[in-house]
Amino acid sequence: MESMGYELHDLSVQPPYRRLSSNTSEENVLEADQGPLGGQGESLHPQTAPTKTKAFDSARQTRTLLFKGFLRWIGTVISTALIVVTLRIYEGKRNFPSDQKTVFNTVIIALILGWGLNLFVSHDPAKAKRLAAHGRWLTMSQEACMESARVVRWRILAEEPHTKREADLILGIENLLNVCALGWESFNKPRILIPCLLWLLFNVLTQVLVASVSLTYTVDDGKTYSDTYLTNGTVNASNLTGYFNGYIPLRAEDNQAVAHIYGEVAPAGKNCEPYKDIEQVYNSSNDPPYFCRRTPGKQEFAYRFKEYNYHDSQRMYPFFTNRVITASSGVCFNYIELKHTLGPDLYNHMAAANYTFSNSTYNSSISIPVSSEGWTATTYIYRGTKPPHLAEVNSCGDRCMWIWAHRASVPGNDTSTFYQCPITISEVSNTTTDLQDVPNSVARVAAASIALQGRWTGPLENKIWTQYQFYAVNTPWETHFLPDERAGANMAEFALRSLATMAERNPSIRISGRVPHLGSRLQIYNHWHYVVALLACIVSVHFALLVATAWVTKSVVVTDDSFVAIARLLNGMTKEVEGKCTLLRGKPLCEAITEEQGRRRDDGEIERHEQGEGQAIEESAHASDGIVYGPVSMGGGNYVLHMGKSVKSLKQWDGGRHPDGNFF
């Protein structure tokens, strides 16, 4: 049977304890009542001896310590790997529900606690269970490296003589408070004080390293659309059946006026996001007011519809659907002014400039009210006599309108230009219900919106719906000194802006869709560099600690961490107060032992015993102040472990190490 470098052997020889004659040459012989067998008046060499010994082998002990430390280190590596895997998994989830946030916090806390348990608490399951049962998760950092301390203390005790109080505190250095007390008691002994300070500093630094793991990541609660996750359910979507005043549909005149206003104001101060194909619109992670594509021969603008959680009254975190509507301009026809005259318009309703214009294939005329004209200005014209949604002559399809623009002459140059552009509003893509589409009538009004005023002329029974909008030089929709295709681009962009604002401002309806919820997101600081460096440092420190512990203790016998085993070692020191001082704490008890030994010495109760060539050992108060831990030779390669003055310090042994041999 092997344990910590020992092997049990049965003995059938004569009892090893014997009274030594005056000519015995064996060194370091334990005599009198300071022996490990105890009390006053008892012989150190009883007639009945133990029948078993343990063979101690320092190399085997070192291998055992390394093996046990390596198992714990493997536990640290596994815990570290699990922490990394957990962080990776939840980072990959991007946004996750609040219940998963609770799961993450539970898992990561359990892993870090288990990590700390493996790093800083004894591998003894019973010890760990006691710590947990007493709610000492927060004080586990104070138990830092206590397993290593319990092993190294035997090297400290064997190194040199210590006072009773120092020996008492060294036996308890797994507790950092005892380390502080030991440093205080040994304030004038640098060989003890400095290691105490270094050990405290090491514990603090290791605790900082472990605590820093929780500073490498953060779980933030969502606030915007980029922090959402989706579920199927009922959502709020825009009512697209027309332009509304609150929840009331507008009549024809107001409908046209609002369509124009929405194109003017939407969305103030924001720019469109360029795109090359419609897939870029679907996949964009941004939330621009709309998208724009300006290519030769086709000017196109797109709006991506959104859906909202019905609890999101402020519309802060939308879901971007794959439903898109576009407004585009086809190739515009250009006409050069031939001449103009001032007079009443075609319907004799107002003063106007009457123009004739032509290109190589087409000649015509048009009247523009004087109030809608100006030098270096642009006027947009809807020429239909019926409302846009009922237009026939000026329509180019169910969702297409012919819109005109006049770019007036510059002062000093009488030449002006007319543009006739087809403006088309697409159907909404990827719809699953008619409620998600924009009706043809609304699409036509939007297509003409850049020219609409919401006003008609003529008698009530024969309304004329021809309308004009004038833009002076340097206003956003003016076209002077710009390419000819800019006129059609302005018309299409204005139409799309009108639709986008309608979708944003109209009342909501509830339909089935993808419901956005604000979630939580795990963010790792500094792109994992800090995390990897920190975890690698902790694993390396743990490995260095186990190697250092085994190396430091390779020259001493490491006693089992058992209260009974330690009590046997302390028997010779505490026998002076046997049956007394049972409620005293450590420091007063050490003082009481010293006082009792001083009293016995003064009363002559302490006897002298001869060893070897008549050398005497006096177990007095002065002798008891020099406590050393180590083996005492019993002759014939047999030893017994003891703590007292009669024990040689480590440097007094050959090679500065405890000998291998049989230990009683």
Side-chain angles (χ1 to χ4, degrees):
M1 167 178 164
E2 292 189 21
S3 175
M4 196 67 75
Y6 301 97
E7 184 175 353
L8 286 178
H9 294 287
D10 290 328
L11 295 182
S12 58
V13 298
Q14 293 296 320
Y17 295 135
R18 52 190 172 84
R19 185 171 302 279
L20 301 176
S21 64
S22 59
N23 61 355
T24 302
S25 60
E26 187 72 46
E27 294 185 355
N28 201 36
V29 178
L30 186 61
E31 296 269 351
D33 53 7
Q34 284 296 111
L37 297 181
Q40 176 73 16
E42 296 181 8
S43 172
L44 176 63
H45 314 292
Q47 296 302 313
T48 302
T51 59
K52 288 187 178 181
T53 64
K54 277 191 175 180
F56 171 70
D57 183 342
S58 60
R60 182 185 296 124
Q61 174 182 273
T62 301
R63 290 193 298 271
T64 301
L65 289 173
L66 285 173
F67 178 72
K68 291 182 177 180
F70 183 75
L71 290 180
R72 170 176 285 184
W73 182 75
I74 289 297
T76 297
V77 173
I78 292 173
S79 298
T80 303
L82 290 175
I83 290 172
V84 171
V85 169
T86 301
L87 292 176
R88 279 290 190 186
I89 289 174
Y90 277 87
E91 184 188 34
K93 287 179 178 289
R94 294 184 59 80
N95 302 310
F96 45 85
S98 57
D99 58 341
Q100 289 194 28
K101 177 182 177 181
T102 302
V103 172
F104 169 77
N105 286 332
T106 301
V107 170
I108 203 71
I109 288 173
L111 288 174
I112 292 178
L113 285 179
W115 199 32
L117 182 66
N118 186 61
L119 276 170
F120 304 118
V121 179
S122 170
H123 61 262
D124 180 2
K127 177 71 173 178
K129 186 175 181 181
R130 287 197 301 273
L131 287 171
H134 288 82
R136 294 183 62 188
W137 294 116
L138 294 179
T139 62
M140 281 187 180
S141 61
Q142 299 171 1
E143 303 287 344
C145 311
M146 60 191 235
E147 177 68 15
S148 177
R150 280 199 297 272
V151 175
V152 172
R153 63 185 172 181
W154 302 113
R155 170 62 185 263
I156 300 173
L157 287 168
E159 190 72 28
E160 60 183 1
H162 300 279
T163 66
K164 296 181 184 67
R165 179 57 176 159
E166 289 172 350
D168 180 35
L169 292 172
I170 290 171
L171 285 172
I173 61 170
E174 64 186 60
N175 188 325
L176 294 183
L177 295 178
N178 287 339
V179 177
C180 294
L182 178 61
W184 180 259
E185 290 287 338
S186 307
F187 190 79
N188 295 323
K189 298 180 180 179
R191 290 189 62 182
I192 297 179
L193 176 61
I194 293 175
C196 287
L197 294 177
L198 292 176
W199 184 247
L200 289 172
L201 178 62
F202 177 79
N203 276 265
V204 170
L205 291 178
T206 53
Q207 299 314 300
V208 169
L209 284 176
V210 173
S212 298
V213 173
S214 61
L215 301 179
T216 60
Y217 67 90
T218 180
V219 181
D220 297 326
D221 292 328
K223 296 180 180 178
T224 66
Y225 67 88
S226 61
D227 305 322
T228 59
Y229 65 94
L230 304 174
T231 61
N232 294 322
T234 301
V235 297
N236 280 354
S238 298
N239 188 333
L240 303 177
T241 56
Y243 292 88
F244 281 73
N245 177 18
Y247 288 89
I248 303 174
L250 297 171
R251 58 182 182 172
E253 294 89 337
D254 297 331
N255 199 43
Q256 296 172 40
V258 169
H260 179 81
I261 292 171
Y262 280 1
E264 288 272 13
V265 302
K270 293 186 178 181
N271 298 320
C272 65
E273 179 177 314
Y275 69 99
K276 295 181 179 180
D277 56 65
I278 203 66
E279 290 299 324
Q280 285 186 280
V281 177
Y282 293 146
N283 298 326
S284 174
S285 59
N286 301 319
D287 185 24
Y290 57 97
F291 300 82
C292 50
R293 178 172 65 175
R294 293 182 170 93
T295 57
K298 186 172 185 179
Q299 307 296 307
E300 184 178 82
F301 304 85
Y303 174 76
R304 181 176 55 183
F305 288 93
K306 308 168 190 175
E307 294 176 346
Y308 296 87
N309 188 315
Y310 55 82
H311 295 299
D312 181 16
S313 58
Q314 300 299 316
R315 294 190 167 190
M316 297 296 295
Y317 49 98
F319 163 60
F320 301 132
T321 71
N322 62 349
R323 301 196 303 275
V324 173
I325 191 170
T326 63
S328 60
S329 170
V331 177
C332 297
F333 295 102
N334 296 1
Y335 306 97
I336 302 300
E337 174 193 342
L338 298 178
K339 66 175 182 176
H340 72 271
T341 59
L342 297 178
D345 65 355
L346 297 177
Y347 306 103
N348 200 29
H349 292 149
M350 61 189 75
N354 298 306
Y355 293 91
T356 58
F357 54 83
S358 176
N359 61 14
S360 59
T361 59
Y362 180 76
N363 298 314
S364 187
S365 61
I366 191 171
S367 294
I368 301 176
V370 173
S371 59
S372 297
E373 282 278 81
W375 291 109
T376 320
T378 299
T379 301
Y380 293 94
I381 309 164
Y382 167 64
R383 297 187 69 184
T385 57
K386 294 182 178 181
H389 65 283
L390 299 176
E392 296 175 355
V393 175
N394 284 279
S395 71
C396 45
D398 291 339
R399 304 171 71 89
C400 179
M401 298 292 292
W402 288 104
I403 306 301
W404 289 72
H406 175 225
R407 184 161 66 187
S409 60
V410 178
N413 184 347
D414 290 334
T415 301
S416 62
T417 305
F418 290 86
Y419 301 95
Q420 181 186 14
C421 302
I423 307 302
T424 302
I425 307 298
S426 72
E427 293 183 342
V428 178
S429 61
N430 301 311
T431 59
T432 57
T433 173
D434 290 343
L435 295 175
Q436 296 171 336
D437 202 359
V438 174
N440 292 347
S441 58
V442 178
R444 285 190 172 197
V445 172
S449 59
I450 194 170
L452 299 180
Q453 297 177 339
R455 299 175 59 185
W456 49 270
T457 58
L460 185 62
E461 65 277 6
N462 189 24
K463 297 177 181 179
I464 305 300
W465 288 95
T466 303
Q467 299 172 62
Y468 312 86
Q469 282 288 357
F470 165 77
Y471 291 93
V473 66
N474 294 328
T475 57
W477 305 106
E478 205 273 325
T479 61
H480 276 77
F481 314 111
L482 296 174
D484 289 341
E485 64 183 13
R486 186 60 179 266
N490 284 356
M491 298 174 190
E493 185 173 5
F494 198 99
L496 196 282
R497 286 164 62 101
S498 178
L499 288 171
T501 307
M502 179 192 75
E504 297 289 342
R505 297 194 177 191
N506 269 10
S508 298
I509 58 173
R510 291 193 176 181
I511 61 175
S512 296
R514 299 283 283 165
V515 184
H517 304 270
L518 285 177
S520 300
R521 175 178 293 187
L522 175 68
Q523 296 191 13
I524 307 296
Y525 294 131
N526 200 25
H527 305 291
W528 283 89
H529 297 120
Y530 181 56
V531 180
V532 172
L534 180 61
L535 297 179
C537 181
I538 293 173
V539 171
S540 300
V541 167
H542 188 188
F543 185 80
L545 180 63
L546 76 90
V547 173
T549 300
W551 183 82
V552 166
T553 57
K554 67 180 181 179
S555 58
V556 299
V557 179
V558 176
T559 296
D560 182 60
D561 182 33
S562 162
F563 294 137
V564 174
I566 295 174
R568 192 203 64 77
L569 289 174
L570 296 174
N571 181 60
M573 189 174 74
T574 61
K575 67 181 180 58
E576 304 291 351
V577 289
E578 185 175 353
K580 307 173 185 177
C581 308
T582 56
L583 282 180
L584 290 184
R585 301 180 67 181
K587 185 173 182 179
L589 183 57
C590 291
E591 293 172 351
I593 293 172
T594 302
E595 291 175 2
E596 180 64 19
Q597 289 177 339
R599 184 192 65 79
R600 292 181 58 214
R601 180 194 59 190
D602 294 339
D603 292 345
E605 297 179 15
I606 299 181
E607 301 177 358
R608 295 176 180 271
H609 299 270
E610 292 184 353
Q611 175 185 7
E613 298 295 333
Q615 180 183 5
I617 297 178
E618 180 185 15
E619 292 295 346
S620 66
H622 299 289
S624 297
D625 283 340
I627 302 298
V628 180
Y629 160 78
V632 174
S633 176
M634 303 306 298
N638 297 318
Y639 302 90
V640 62
L641 285 175
H642 182 56
M643 285 182 64
K645 180 177 175 56
S646 57
V647 181
K648 293 194 300 185
S649 61
L650 196 62
K651 62 185 177 181
Q652 294 176 308
W653 288 97
D654 292 340
R657 58 190 303 128
H658 288 166
D660 293 348
N662 294 325
F663 280 73
F664 292 105

